[in-house]
Amino acid sequence: MVSKVLYRTILPYVIFMICFVPVLSNYYFDVPILRSVETELRNWSTLIGLTAMFLGLANITIYYYREIKRRKHLEWQFGVYSIALTYAWIIYGLSQGGLTSPAYNEIYVFVKGHSEAAQIGLLTFFFVTAAFRTFRAKNMQALVLLIFAFIPFIGVAPWGEQIWSGWPAFSEWILGGITMAGSRAILIAASVGLVAMVVRIVLRYEKGGLIRG
Amino acid sequence: MKKEEGASVSIWSKAQSVRAEWLWLVTLVLIIVPLAVPPHVPFTVNQSTLRIYEYVKKLPDGSVIVSGGSGQWAFIYETSAAFMAFLTQIKNKDVKLIIFPLSTDSLMFEPWAVKVTGFDKVKEYGKDWVVLNYVPGGADITLPAFMTNIRGLCRTDVYGRPLDELPIFKTVNSYKDITLWVDCGANSIPSLARYVAPYKVPILGFVHSAYYGMFQPYIAAGQVYEMTNGIRGGGEYEKLVGYTPWNLGTVTMDSYQLYSIYILALVIIANIGTQMLKKEEKKQ
Amino acid sequence: MSVFLKGRIVDFLILAVLSISTWLATYFARKGKAREIRPIPALDAIYEGVGRAAEMGRPAFMTPGAGDVGSARVIAGLAILDVMATQCAKLDVPLLTVFGQGALGAAEMIVAEAYRREGKPELYSPGKQVLFLSGDQYARTAGEAGLFQREKPALNVFVGDFYSEMLYIGEAGARVGAMQIGGTTQQLGIPLMAITMDYVMIGEEMFAVAASITRDPIQVGSIMAQDIGKIVLFSISIIGVIAMLVGSKIMIDLLSM
């Protein structure tokens, strides 16, 4: 019982405070020892990030292995494809000398890079259906919102300045003035919420999630 | 809305329930046709892009530029246009370029952009430009270390050569030696404003349209010198430098011309349709 | 010689004010002086969504998006995960979550704990509820879209770090008929959530999860402290604007100390 409390509650909190206090202090105070402690902690953080990659790899393997074994879905064959491709990519990259190998570079650019660009290209189409479905002015507020949303949209398009030469400058003003004010307000409010959440964690008031109060 | 048996469905009702696939097909046509038959729509150059162009033009000889951003391949077409125009502009200037990738994609993308623009053909690797190794951990971990001691963070370049062997690093090791920082990443501006700007290193950002408005506070606060606005900014920069091998920005503006009209038309039809359906319901 | 770094003194003071006000507010809240907070519809909808999933016999899905456990948004997402895992364990709803590699361990721990608390540890298994699809933003998004097509969740909850992929997975979720709830402070993600989600938590609403659900006076007290903090910061902004308008740079000099 004692060991469960130690493991689940006290130990995570102690580790959190050991990492939190030096990093926070180093941001404000000019103390050399804090700098070296923070650098060391950041190096450890990098190592943990690397270790987490293996955890992720294990997770993918387990998930797709289960999918293949169960064959619950019609597309279970894609699980075979996913596992095979994951390991083939790792083995190929290691055998070719890693990221600097020209062959690996070519495959990275022309397979991964362009697949990803194609993914984001899909947003072009999804935006069309989202705009058609959602951009309905059901009341005056929504209408005003819609108008102000479309001003910068048209401002970027070449035909906007054909209609009125001042349109790009006007849309820049909306983005740089009105939108910025709203962005700042959301940013400030979110930052305050973040500070409050961290203080709750430090004072052990935060229930649920990572550090249990 | 219920449809009585035998009653005709109004055109507005049909318009509201058009299948997504038809909308997508029209989108595809409107994007592809201008690529095949480019109309070369004219567009003016914005003040922000002009400021960037003028600033880079006035860089003194021997300037050291760091290209450090967490670029993502998913967004290549938005930021690469301006970044390639930038590389085209500095290609014939006496400047040095250090590529410091903040993500794995950036590690692949920036050297690729260098090759596409022919920057590597007029500049000597190791003397005029270098690609540093990627250090995992993100901007919050790597940038503070980079600004104070480059060799402490990166022992070698991406090809495994120690930095001490590279001529460019005989005179460069910290923020004091950096003249300019450019960012072609997705959202590295906040990190750069936090860790690079305090050292008074000017920052130029080639950002997406979606982030352009969002990052305006950094320009107003003086942390970032200027930014280009997405693909349009890329097209404008291409016009200023006299076009790049890909001309992505200019080509995309042709498609965007029709796409934007289409979206506007759809939204207008959707809104008119909603109002007309409301009236029909009231009548019934 | 100042022990503070240049430009950080006022930052530190503001942080101290926020922290002390949080502590004081929770202190007074424990003494019974907590104020009411408005309900957050999106959080209440999570319970409704899990119930809907139970009725339809379909799973519930949750993801905190791109970040790792160092991101406060992901921590807020983990708090939501706790709530969802508890509800799913209670109602025997299959739970599916996708996490980044950095937060995978934390997520597994939270889900295991939730199932254990509800007395159903046998329903939990590593790699079954908590999945890692990819560290890459769009590869993960494509995986999630595929997951929606195969598993057809009745409830999708997106609380954490979301950017442009929100449009993609929001539409993919809408096409399978899922009830969708989102929350992020990322300004790129908020408008995309607004057009694809049924319920949205904007900005600091997602940090108020525990307070809104439990109505615990301590949690509510810290929300009061957030409001005090906002008033302080907005006051500084307004004073700064007025000062600049009259030609004085006093606020800029003060904040640069």
Side-chain angles (χ1 to χ4, degrees), chain B residues 113-273:
Chain B
V114 159
K115 287 190 179 64
V116 167
T117 52
F119 184 92
D120 57 335
K121 293 192 171 44
V122 296
K123 299 282 188 191
E124 189 185 329
Y125 185 84
K127 182 169 168 266
D128 300 314
W129 73 289
V130 71
V131 183
L132 293 177
N133 219 342
Y134 167 67
V135 180
D140 291 332
I141 290 171
T142 55
L143 278 176
F146 183 89
M147 294 309 286
T148 49
N149 185 1
I150 298 175
R151 282 197 198 76
L153 178 71
C154 305
R155 303 284 159 81
T156 67
D157 71 351
V158 76
Y159 301 106
R161 289 171 58 182
L163 295 195
D164 292 333
E165 288 178 17
L166 298 171
I168 196 173
F169 283 103
K170 289 211 176 346
T171 50
V172 178
N173 194 45
S174 73
Y175 69 93
K176 292 175 193 159
D177 312 308
I178 300 172
T179 318
L180 174 67
W181 194 294
V182 299
D183 166 41
C184 62
N187 56 355
S188 327
I189 293 284
S191 304
L192 295 176
R194 203 176 299 140
Y195 300 113
V196 174
Y199 293 102
K200 304 283 183 259
V201 175
I203 301 169
L204 296 180
F206 307 129
V207 304
H208 307 120
S209 298
Y211 287 115
Y212 184 72
M214 215 180 295
F215 292 156
Q216 287 296 320
Y218 296 106
I219 297 179
Q223 289 166 311
V224 172
Y225 179 75
E226 196 51 86
M227 298 184 299
T228 54
N229 183 3
I231 198 72
R232 168 142 185 166
E236 289 167 4
Y237 205 164
E238 283 166 0
K239 265 181 112 162
L240 289 169
V241 302
Y243 300 103
T244 65
W246 272 36
N247 265 353
L248 280 166
T250 312
V251 162
T252 312
M253 290 313 290
D254 293 335
S255 296
Y256 187 75
Q257 172 93 323
L258 290 176
Y259 179 75
S260 56
I261 295 171
Y262 176 55
I263 293 279
L264 191 61
L266 277 181
V267 170
I268 291 170
I269 291 169
N271 278 282
I272 293 175

Side-chain angles (χ1 to χ4, degrees), chain C residues 200-247:
Chain C
V200 183
M201 286 181 269
I202 296 177
E204 78 275 19
E205 286 181 342
M206 52 186 261
F207 297 121
V209 170
S212 189
I213 290 172
T214 63
R215 303 282 164 170
D216 181 20
I218 292 170
Q219 304 289 336
V220 172
S222 82
I223 304 297
M224 279 165 52
Q226 273 178 240
D227 287 343
I228 294 168
K230 274 182 263 184
I231 291 168
V232 166
L233 289 172
F234 288 138
S235 305
I236 292 173
S237 303
I238 291 168
I239 294 169
V241 166
I242 294 170
M244 287 294 283
L245 283 172
V246 301

Side-chain angles (χ1 to χ4, degrees), chain A residues 100 108 120 136-137 161 172, chain B residues 16 44 46 74 105 158 232 271:
Chain A
T100 56
Y108 191 98
I120 199 169
R136 312 275 170 111
E161 61 186 294
E172 282 271 325
Chain B
Q16 300 304 303
T44 54
N46 208 337
D105 279 355
V158 76
R232 168 142 185 166
N271 278 282

Side-chain angles (χ1 to χ4, degrees), chain A:
Chain A
M1 186 65 193
V2 171
S3 66
K4 274 187 183 172
V5 168
L6 181 73
Y7 173 68
R8 290 205 167 107
T9 312
I10 298 171
L11 196 59
Y13 183 73
V14 167
I15 293 171
F16 165 73
M17 289 304 279
I18 287 170
C19 299
F20 173 73
V21 172
V23 174
L24 181 74
S25 308
N26 188 55
Y27 184 78
Y28 293 107
F29 303 112
D30 185 15
V31 178
I33 193 163
L34 281 176
R35 235 175 286 138
S36 10
V37 169
E38 198 223 356
T39 307
E40 195 60 32
L41 285 169
R42 287 192 189 276
N43 290 340
W44 278 99
S45 168
T46 307
L47 289 172
I48 291 167
L50 285 169
T51 315
M53 272 202 293
F54 291 98
L55 190 61
L57 187 62
N59 190 286
I60 288 179
T61 311
I62 292 169
Y63 172 70
Y64 284 116
Y65 173 72
R66 280 200 182 123
E67 287 289 303
I68 295 163
K69 204 173 158 189
R70 279 188 318 176
R71 299 185 193 187
K72 181 180 161 194
H73 302 289
L74 285 173
E75 302 95 349
W76 66 267
Q77 294 94 337
F78 288 112
V80 177
Y81 176 74
S82 299
I83 290 190
L85 202 62
T86 303
Y87 284 98
W89 201 273
I90 293 170
I91 293 165
Y92 182 75
L94 289 171
S95 67
Q96 293 294 317
L99 296 170
T100 56
S101 143
Y104 186 84
N105 251 282
E106 291 291 302
I107 287 192
Y108 191 98
V109 169
F110 288 103
V111 175
K112 196 257 186 186
H114 292 288
S115 300
E116 217 172 84
Q119 287 269 300
I120 199 169
L122 286 175
L123 292 186
T124 314
F125 299 90
F126 285 137
F127 186 70
V128 170
T129 40
F132 189 65
R133 197 182 69 232
T134 328
F135 290 175
R136 312 275 170 111
K138 293 188 175 80
N139 51 42
M140 193 48 75
Q141 280 174 330
L143 179 65
V144 169
L145 185 67
L146 205 55
I147 290 167
F148 273 91
F150 270 90
I151 290 171
F153 185 74
I154 296 166
V156 175
W159 63 272
E161 61 186 294
Q162 304 298 327
I163 294 173
W164 174 41
S165 58
W167 204 304
F170 181 47
S171 76
E172 282 271 325
W173 176 77
I174 287 181
L175 286 174
I178 301 172
T179 312
M180 182 169 71
S183 298
R184 275 180 168 162
I186 293 176
L187 200 60
I188 289 172
S191 304
V192 170
L194 170 60
V195 168
M197 192 181 81
V198 172
V199 171
R200 285 200 303 268
I201 292 174
V202 169
L203 296 176
R204 302 188 67 203
Y205 291 150
E206 181 71 10
K207 305 245 182 269
L210 200 53
I211 309 285
R212 302 195 69 81

Side-chain angles (χ1 to χ4, degrees), chain C residues 78-111:
Chain C
L78 288 169
I80 298 265
L81 174 67
D82 196 18
V83 169
M84 271 188 76
T86 308
Q87 280 299 105
C88 287
K90 219 179 262 183
L91 300 177
D92 283 333
V93 170
L95 174 67
L96 288 170
T97 65
V98 171
F99 275 78
Q101 63 217 29
L104 207 54
E108 293 274 14
M109 187 186 84
I110 288 165
V111 173

Side-chain angles (χ1 to χ4, degrees), chain C residues 23-36:
Chain C
W23 180 76
L24 277 173
T26 49
Y27 173 78
F28 285 117
R30 272 181 293 152
K31 297 279 181 206
K33 291 181 183 157
R35 296 175 72 102
E36 281 293 309

